[in-house]
Amino acid sequence: MSGRVHVIRGSVSLPEAELMWRFSRSSGPGGQHVNTSDSQVELRFDLARTEALPEVWKQRALERLASRLVDGVVTVRASEHRSQWRNRETAATRLAALLAEATAPPPKPRRPTRIPRGINERRLREKKHRAETKQGRSRKDWS
């Protein structure tokens, strides 16, 4: 691939040696070019056996990507460009983003906070005022 390093997060990046590439012809229109070039890229990464990710990240990713994995391998396809090289870049970037999302730490739990008394009182006051306004509109004793 290119000399570009695809960083997952921090100092961890996609290990070039563990990436498995497969090329095939893209589907869809493309004119004379489409039947002769293998521009669709399929990038496979063995998540279950990799040593490149910290163990905690790996477990997190295996849990979160369970539905996408086939025997512990995650697959990403790219075929939107006519150039195989650009599709390779797209696939690698997509895989790095997918792994970054899957290995992210879980969000901090929400701590419930109390509504300040002043805000609650103001809301009730406005509600009462609105009710009185509407009540005043419905009275029929003005003759």
Side-chain angles (χ1 to χ4, degrees), residues 6 32 43-44 51 55 72 75 85 88 103 105-106 125 135:
H6 293 280
Q32 298 165 324
L43 174 57
R44 299 172 54 151
E51 296 295 316
E55 197 56 40
T75 306
W85 182 82
R88 284 175 71 133
T103 59
R125 220 178 16 255
Q135 195 65 240

Side-chain angles (χ1 to χ4, degrees), residues 48 53-65 102-103:
L53 298 177
E55 197 56 40
V56 180
W57 287 21
K58 194 159 110 173
Q59 290 310 315
R60 223 180 266 157
L62 285 168
E63 280 174 31
R64 292 180 183 169
L65 298 175
T103 59

Side-chain angles (χ1 to χ4, degrees), residues 28-82:
Q32 298 165 324
H33 177 78
V34 76
N35 296 326
T36 57
S37 65
D38 291 343
S39 61
Q40 177 172 288
V41 173
E42 187 179 282
L43 174 57
R44 299 172 54 151
F45 179 65
D46 195 340
L47 188 57
R49 291 185 191 81
T50 187
E51 296 295 316
L53 298 177
E55 197 56 40
V56 180
W57 287 21
K58 194 159 110 173
Q59 290 310 315
R60 223 180 266 157
L62 285 168
E63 280 174 31
R64 292 180 183 169
L65 298 175
S67 61
R68 283 192 67 151
L69 298 176
V70 178
D71 296 330
V73 177
V74 65
T75 306
V76 174
R77 274 194 196 87
S79 63
E80 50 270 9
H81 304 293
R82 275 182 58 165

